[in-house]
């Protein structure tokens, strides 16, 4: 048989030549430069406050303290720069995972390649739901409909039925299959030219999640500035000295400002997305990870999600006098050489050894359409005789063969029996046309029924175990499919759904003019013959009940429900591009079991963020209290100077961003019901507990200070005592809040080198300050008496006991 050039495709040498001539199929991306990252790091509020303190010390003539402060400023700046740099690297790595694929023909073979590797003159296979990778012309197709709204703004799909029709990169195939030959890639394609024009007006708008964080930080900054200004005024009136009052006010502002919040959220979400990507789960919208941990209902499609979408032929059902060989030959000749369709691939794999009529060319295609769910290939025998081979839905094939009612009923009984076993059927027919005139339509051909082929789509490996784990985690699973009810029940039984099945037939509901309602979703877990609009309706009904809904799908008909769900999850290998773009998560390896890892990661993320926020709130309570008290009571020394708080921040920042991010998992993470956050990352109960933990530490330090006052200690001795207790209590709070379900000792044993490093370096820093006279002088410290030191140790131990008792 003569093979058209597009069916052979380019060879490797031609690919390299085209790439050199026309470039890669990529658009220019704006990446943050080194200097932009530097400016972003230098813009943080804490860094600006530290720099202001350094300037004031220099104005006071205290050059030593000023230089020390500049050193602290540099350390904080480097820490901030590293965090921003690491986050940028994580996001860049995620973009690599996000690269979509295209199916091309090269050297006569189908290859799945990155879309950026598509070159001019490549032959690209198109199927329903895929996004076209570059500009080109249609060289073969079956009734294509293309969504070109992203280029034209017109919502109506454009039909591409003529060979040579122009196709544009970035547009979406809504219906049909075909092959295109690429004519322009990258910046030379239509979308590339538009992208170049848009670069000048490029702007990044924050998401609602980012806006809420920014608003919180803004209000926190206003609150910190207001209280700090009030403390400055009170300090100046009661103690005198404007610059000293400003320093105390800056200390208060640094103590109140929770600048760790955005850092924790950004870093935690970014690294969680990166970890998921390494487990073959790509996150396109990072903020969805919060909802992922709260998932209470999983709505899953059947084909391609619970099943492999790798059809295998299980039953050959010849009709009357036809033989299995005749059925096999008909199936092969009615099937395109290259196709994305799973059943067509199964036919080619099973029957490709047959060679009947392979020397003949396909003279005419009769594509499938919305008016006729069947297709056919017409082969020329000579100038006045043709053979036609067709395939399609069993009902359509029986109609084209003009079978009588009795024959249809008999065949329908056999179809139902095969459907109960989970098989999907295609009908096959053939015809001989002894005429010079080609039939205009497939309905003008007098077909003879050859038979039916039953296909089986095996259950994905690990699905039954995954469903059991979801049940243990308190997550309800619902199957939503457009397939036959009998087939849906068969697959549900094999997948591990609990029998007997309560099933809702969406087609019957629609035919009766009834909408799906709350009663349906309350009782049923299997929904068959469901239309795309009904999938969307089910998701919204569940959300109205207060459920956090994850929707899994792989087809274009799943896209509306994927977009509406709290977490839309698409398949990465077999899924349609439109489904992947509508989803917030993509299972890159198409494994349903990856969902378990994703939900577990989401729950662990919520726990880590809640624990980090508990720690941030708790550790700031004693710092704030010790900054405010000296302004109100002139008999008290100024406990915390700005560089004392800067030292504490050098412990708090890495603890929040590193220790808590690498915290061990809580006990029974996937054996408890999903957390009900209702849009809040920290509950009132946790907020109250965090404040209680902070107050326990504060009163322990205050009690020790009051005792030291009876020992006639100097202000420098009392300041050292308070600072040392804050450092040690800070480490105690880290271990106490790293886990809700494990003791501090268990956390210490399970923690990695990062947590151990923070603890050891913090203790080493305190030891160096205590033992080196020059450092003690720089911090305005003197060593306290033995009895005060003993009381401080007892106070910290008592605080640890109380914290454990209240946990």
């Amino acid at each position: 048989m003569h093979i058209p050039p597009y069916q052979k495709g380019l060879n490797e040498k031609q690919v390299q030549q085209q790439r050199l001539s026309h470039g890669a199929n990529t658009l220019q991306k704006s990446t943050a430069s080194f200097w932009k990252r530097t400016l972003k790091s230098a813009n943080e509020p804490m860094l600006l406050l530290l720099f202001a303190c350094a300037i004031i010390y220099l104005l006071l003539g205290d050059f030593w303290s000023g230089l020390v402060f500049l050193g602290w400023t540099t350390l904080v700046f480097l820490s901030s720069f590293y965090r921003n740099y690491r986050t940028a690297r994580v996001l860049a790595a995620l973009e690599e995972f996000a690269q979509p694929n295209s199916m091309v023909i090269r050297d006569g073979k189908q290859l799945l390649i990155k879309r950026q590797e598509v070159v001019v003159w490549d032959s690209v296979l198109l199927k329903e739901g895929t996004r076209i990778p570059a500009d080109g012309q249609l060289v073969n197709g079956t009734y294509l409909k293309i969504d070109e709204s992203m280029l034209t703004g017109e919502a109506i799909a454009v039909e591409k039925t003529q060979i040579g029709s122009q196709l544009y990169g970035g547009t979406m195939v809504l219906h049909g299959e075909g092959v295109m030959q690429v004519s322009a890639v990258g910046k030379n394609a239509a979308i590339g030219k538009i992208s170049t024009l848009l670069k000048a007006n490029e702007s990044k708008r924050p998401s609602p999640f980012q806006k809420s964080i920014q608003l919180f930080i803004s209000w926190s900054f206003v609150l910190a500035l207001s209280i700090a200004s009030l403390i400055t005024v009170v300090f100046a009136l009661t103690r005198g000295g404007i610059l000293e009052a400003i320093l105390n006010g800056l200390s208060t502002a640094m103590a109140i400002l929770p600048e760790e919040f955005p850092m924790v959220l950004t870093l935690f979400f970014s690294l969680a997305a990166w970890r998921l990507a390494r487990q073959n789960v790509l996150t396109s919208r990072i903020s969805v990870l919060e909802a992922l941990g709260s998932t209470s209902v999983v709505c899953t499609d059947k084909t391609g999600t619970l099943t492999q979408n790798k059809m295998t032929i299980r039953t050959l059902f010849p009709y009357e006098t036809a033989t299995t060989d005749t059925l096999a030959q008909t199936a092969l000749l009615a099937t395109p050489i290259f196709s994305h369709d799973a059943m067509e691939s199964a036919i080619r794999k099973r029957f490709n050894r047959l060679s009947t009529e392979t020397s003949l060319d396909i003279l005419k295609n009769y594509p499938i359409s919305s008016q006729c769910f069947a297709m056919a290939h017409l082969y020329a025998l000579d100038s006045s005789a043709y053979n036609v081979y067709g395939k399609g839905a069993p009902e359509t094939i029986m109609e084209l063969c003009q079978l009588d009612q009795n024959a249809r009923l008999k065949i329908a009984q056999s179809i139902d029996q095969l459907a109960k076993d989970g098989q999907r059927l295609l009908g096959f027919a053939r015809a001989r046309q002894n005429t010079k005139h080609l039939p205009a339509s497939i309905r003008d051909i007098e077909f003879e029924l050859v038979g039916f082929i039953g296909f089986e789509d095996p259950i994905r490996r690990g699905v039954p175990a995954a469903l059991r784990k979801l049940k243990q985690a308190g997550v309800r699973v619902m199957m939503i499919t457009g397939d036959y009810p009998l087939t849906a029940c068969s697959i549900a039984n094999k997948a591990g759904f609990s029998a007997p099945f309560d099933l809702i037939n969406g087609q019957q509901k629609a035919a009766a003019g009834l909408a799906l309602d709350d009663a349906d979703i309350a009782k049923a877990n299997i929904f068959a013959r469901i239309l795309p609009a009904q999938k969307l309706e089910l998701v919204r009904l569940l959300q109205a009940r207060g459920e956090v809904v994850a929707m899994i799908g792989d087809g274009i008909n799943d896209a509306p429900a994927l977009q509406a769900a709290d977490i839309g999850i698409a398949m990465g290998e077999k899924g349609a591009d439109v489904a992947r773009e509508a989803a917030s998560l993509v299972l890159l390896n198409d494994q349903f079991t990856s969902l378990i890892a994703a939900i577990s990661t989401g729950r662990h993320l919520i726990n880590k963020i809640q624990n980090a926020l508990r720690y941030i709130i708790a550790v700031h309570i004693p710092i704030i209290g010790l900054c405010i008290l000296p302004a109100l009571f002139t008999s008290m020394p100024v406990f915390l100077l700005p560089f004392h708080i800067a030292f504490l921040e050098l412990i708090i920042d890495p603890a929040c961003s590193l220790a808590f991010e690498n915290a061990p998992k809580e006990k029974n993470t996937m054996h408890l019901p999903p957390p009900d956050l209702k849009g809040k990352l920290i509950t009132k109960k946790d907020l109250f507990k965090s404040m209680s933990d902070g107050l326990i530490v504060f009163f322990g330090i205050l009690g020790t200070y009051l005792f030291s006052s009876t020992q006639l200690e100097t202000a420098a001795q009392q300041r050292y005592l308070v600072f040392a207790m804050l450092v040690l209590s800070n480490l105690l709070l880290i271990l106490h809040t790293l886990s809700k379900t494990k003791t501090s000792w268990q956390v210490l044993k399970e923690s990695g080198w990062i947590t151990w490093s923070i603890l050891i370096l913090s203790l080493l820093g305190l030891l160096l300050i205590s033992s080196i006279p020059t450092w003690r002088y720089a911090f305005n410290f003197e060593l306290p008496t033995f009895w005060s030191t003993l009381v401080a140790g007892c106070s910290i131990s008592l605080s640890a006991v109380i914290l454990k008792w209240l946990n």
Side-chain angles (χ1 to χ4, degrees), residues 103-132:
M103 185 71 76
V104 299
I105 303 171
R106 289 182 181 172
D107 276 333
K109 298 178 182 178
Q110 291 183 208
L111 293 177
L112 189 66
I113 63 173
K114 294 287 185 184
R115 192 170 299 175
Q116 65 186 26
E117 297 173 6
V118 171
V119 299
V120 172
W121 300 121
D122 252 333
S123 297
V124 181
L125 274 69
L126 306 176
K127 69 171 183 175
E128 184 175 289
T130 59
R131 192 168 289 283
I132 297 174

Side-chain angles (χ1 to χ4, degrees), residues 5 22 99 103 200 230 305 319 322 380 407 411 456 464 543 571 595 644 655 679 733-734 802:
H22 302 280
Q99 285 290 337
M103 185 71 76
L230 181 62
T305 50
Y319 181 68
I411 293 173
E456 182 181 51
Q543 290 172 327
M571 295 298 182
L595 178 61
H644 297 148
L733 283 173
I734 291 172
I802 295 173

Side-chain angles (χ1 to χ4, degrees), residues 325-505:
D325 285 344
T326 304
L327 178 57
Q329 292 169 3
T330 302
L332 185 65
L333 292 167
T335 301
I337 296 176
F338 294 109
S339 173
H340 283 287
D341 185 82
M343 289 190 283
E344 291 180 342
S345 297
I347 291 170
R348 282 282 166 192
K349 184 176 181 181
R350 177 77 175 268
F351 303 131
N352 219 23
R353 55 184 175 80
L354 301 176
S355 59
T356 57
E357 300 188 30
T358 54
S359 61
L360 304 177
D361 291 338
I362 298 175
L363 191 62
K364 185 178 175 89
N365 285 323
Y366 296 92
I368 194 169
S369 70
S370 56
Q371 288 75 39
C372 184
F373 293 105
M375 63 174 291
H377 291 163
L378 187 147
Y379 294 85
L381 297 176
D382 52 46
S383 60
S384 60
Y386 313 96
N387 275 358
V388 187
Y389 300 91
K391 66 181 177 66
E395 300 89 345
T396 305
I397 292 296
M398 287 190 286
E399 180 186 344
L400 291 175
C401 294
Q402 301 179 5
L403 296 184
D404 60 37
Q405 191 65 25
N406 289 333
R408 292 191 191 187
L409 287 174
K410 187 177 179 180
I411 293 173
Q413 290 175 356
S414 299
I415 290 174
D416 285 346
Q417 189 59 41
L418 293 173
K420 285 180 182 178
D421 196 32
Q423 296 186 50
R424 298 179 66 183
L425 267 72
L426 276 182
F428 295 87
R430 64 180 180 177
R432 184 179 180 86
Q433 299 288 118
N434 294 312
T435 175
K436 293 182 179 180
H437 302 289
L438 299 183
S441 166
I442 193 171
R443 293 191 181 277
D444 296 332
I445 302 171
E446 296 181 4
F447 280 103
E448 168 196 355
L449 182 62
V450 177
F452 303 89
I453 294 180
F455 299 82
E456 182 181 51
D457 189 3
I459 297 292
R460 286 189 180 277
R461 186 179 178 182
V463 165
L467 292 180
R468 287 195 298 271
K469 289 179 181 178
L470 287 172
K471 186 176 180 180
Q472 289 175 351
V475 179
R476 179 186 177 191
V477 182
M478 301 168 63
M479 180 198 290
I480 304 174
T481 178
D483 214 334
Y484 288 103
L486 292 174
T487 305
C489 287
S490 174
I491 295 298
N493 184 57
K494 294 175 183 177
F497 281 81
S498 299
F501 306 119
D502 289 320
L503 184 141
I504 298 294
N505 189 316

